Amino acid sequence: MNAEQSVRVEDKLYYNRYLVDVGRPHVKVRRHTTPSPQLLALLRACPARCYELNDKGQVEVAVDGCIECGTCRVIAEPTGDIEWNYPRGGYGVLFKFG
Amino acid sequence: MIQERFDAIVVGAGMAGNAAALTMAERGMKVLQLERGEYAGSKNVQGAILYADMMEKLIPDFREDAPLERHLVEQRFWMMDDRSHVGMHYRSEDFNEERPNRYTIIRAQFDKWFSSKVREAGATVLYETTATELVRDNYGKVRGVRTDRRDGEIQADVVVLAEGVNGLLGTRAGLRARPTPDKVALAVKEMHFLPRETIEARFNLKDDEGVVIEAAGTISRGMTGMGFIYANKESISLGIGCLVADFQRTGETPYGLLDHFKKHPSVASLIAGSEVKEYSAHLIPEGGYRAIPQLYGEGWVVVGDAAQFNNAVHREGSNLAMTSGRIAAEAISQVKSRRDGMTAKNLSLYKKMLDESFVIKDLKKYKDLPRLMHTNCQSFFLTYPQLVSRAMQNFVRVDGTPKVDKEKVTIKSFVKARSWTGLFGDAVRFARAWR
Ligand SMILES: Cc1cc2nc3c(=O)[nH]c(=O)nc-3n(C[C@H](O)[C@H](O)[C@H](O)COP(=O)(O)OP(=O)(O)OC[C@H]3O[C@@H](n4cnc5c(N)ncnc54)[C@H](O)[C@@H]3O)c2cc1C
Ligand code: SF4
């Protein structure tokens, strides 16, 4: 229906520079069987599309492309659905222009 | 890691943190500044317009070597529907002055330069260092920070929290509330590169003249939000932001909104053929005056976006950040020069000085606007732009309809969409909030 379904965020993230802290993700999703409305909102609200549904219908996060905006923190930290931190100093996204 | 004790620790090397660290270092204080990015600016996103007056108060001759893009000679406001825009352009030769009033900048580059000035002033700046926690004594007084470096506790008389809108330190320590979805906007932005001449031709510019466009209307699809297009030397900064609560409510995607904005015929022609080199996102504080937290306490002050200092109406933030950072630093150095302790009582001087500045006065002026925009977002961002566009088209299209009838159609369309009471109410509410 929407034209933007064809927009590939992955292509956008490809422009950016990242220093990934392998094995130390700075955002984690609490274990759940059925996702809360807040977690489901992240599937669409995250500008880097870090949140995806797995085949069991649970929300998963992959932070490699995270642009550290904090949107998911504002939405889903209060409910305890996610644990949010900044990456370790020096790691994460590195804007050249910002 | 660092055994020495500092007069002050500044968390963050954005506009607010740099202003604070620079001011205190220049006054002979022993300052440590922490920045989690590889360099200052590597985590920061802005439109970006720099306001010269606030910068001059910090570095009077900044024009000599700061990385500036274009000085602004023209400001456009666009009210958009899906196929058109109704615009107001203000352009004046007066802005081609010796000391221009506003510039476009590229934040990552500007912050790097600003940070070099902070170091020159004598502050110790540690990059790639995330402050993870405030350290407090048994009485609750802040006496330093812990970092993610080895043995990372560092002590100081006062901590300046310049950690930006999403600041973890202050919110985790319970000094202020975590931002809520209705008090922050999420903005997404792209950098579009084009040859200099192309930009100058498309925006009608010569030399280092610049233009900014602020856009509102159906581009935000009924959400509270705005788009922007700023001309830099060889690039165009383009983005759009809406309240997080609205994204949550509507399920719109930020990148979908951005791409839709780029495809609008009025926008597409400006960026045609460009090369995109970066995609970024950042939160903007939108709560205004009513969302300002407690600004000082035992051993700490909060400045800039972390204190919600952002004027959403005028899209000013960096100048409020710079000014609050500078004023906090001046207050702290006054307390120190009197050899007084960094207690809440003494640090209240910061609030007193800030209340006298444009920062608090401007935010107070618009204290009701954020709520109004939010509760009436459908009419302000969807209905009115469509109505205005139709009215304009009706006005300019020549088709043999008598002008009296044209006017009737326009008025009828407004009344039908909002009713007389609705229109009147909106006007009154808007005027009140603006006053
Ligand atoms: C899309 C967009 C467009 C904008 N356009 C304009 C504009 O045109 N003009 C304008 O005046 N304003 C604009 N603003 C607002 C402006 O960017 C902000 O108001 C301003 O950057 C606030 O400065 P700050 O120093 O408070 O925060 P920031 O600039 O966000 O700086 C915070 C710094 O702290 C660091 N930090 C955070 N936590 C830690 C930690 N724990 N340890 C170490 N370091 C940490 C961050 O890495 C960052 O460098 C815009 C904002 C956005 C998002
Ligand atoms: S911080 Fe922003 S980019 Fe990163 S996962 Fe959360 S919403 Fe996505």
Side-chain angles (χ1 to χ4, degrees), chain B residues 171-314:
Chain B
T171 53
R172 294 231 166 116
L175 306 182
R176 59 174 189 276
R178 182 198 302 111
T180 51
D182 59 331
K183 291 202 176 59
V184 281
L186 165 66
V188 280
K189 179 191 163 190
E190 279 179 4
M191 289 295 282
H192 287 252
F193 282 75
L194 280 164
R196 210 187 153 112
E197 312 77 64
T198 311
I199 291 181
E200 285 167 6
R202 285 182 192 175
F203 287 89
N204 186 22
L205 303 168
K206 61 178 191 310
D207 307 322
D208 283 345
E209 289 176 344
V211 170
V212 294
I213 305 173
E214 312 287 358
T218 60
I219 47 168
S220 66
R221 300 185 175 173
M223 302 190 280
T224 307
M226 266 174 106
F228 62 89
I229 303 167
Y230 298 167
N232 305 316
K233 277 196 178 118
E234 292 174 339
S235 62
I236 296 171
S237 305
L238 175 153
I240 185 163
C242 295
L243 276 185
V244 169
D246 284 354
F247 277 117
Q248 210 177 338
R249 174 174 59 83
T250 60
E252 294 283 352
T253 63
Y255 35 88
L257 210 63
L258 182 67
D259 275 55
H260 189 73
F261 182 49
K262 279 160 54 181
K263 288 198 186 110
H264 189 286
S266 303
V267 180
S269 55
L270 290 174
I271 55 168
S274 67
E275 188 194 347
V276 182
K277 291 201 181 167
E278 196 166 81
Y279 169 67
S280 56
H282 204 277
L283 295 179
I284 307 178
E286 299 273 335
Y289 184 74
R290 294 182 197 281
I292 299 175
Q294 172 70 26
L295 295 175
Y296 59 89
E298 299 292 330
W300 62 273
V301 295
V302 57
V303 295
D305 274 9
Q308 286 266 342
F309 293 149
N310 212 294
N311 186 337
V313 183
H314 290 260

Side-chain angles (χ1 to χ4, degrees), chain A residues 21-38:
Chain A
D21 199 354
V22 183
R24 295 179 74 147
H26 58 281
V27 186
K28 289 177 193 148
V29 175
R30 178 173 64 180
R31 281 224 198 146
H32 57 276
T33 36
T34 345
S36 67
Q38 284 77 11

Side-chain angles (χ1 to χ4, degrees), chain A residues 13 18 26-27 42 45-51 61-75 82 84-86, chain B residues 166 186 279 281-283:
Chain A
L13 301 178
Y18 294 95
H26 58 281
V27 186
L42 303 184
C46 168
R49 218 163 82 189
C50 294
Y51 293 86
V61 65
V63 295
D64 291 7
C66 171
I67 28 190
E68 298 165 34
C69 65
T71 303
C72 59
R73 179 191 177 217
V74 169
I75 294 176
I82 63 166
W84 203 96
N85 278 292
Y86 280 124
Chain B
N166 190 28
L186 165 66
Y279 169 67
H282 204 277
L283 295 179

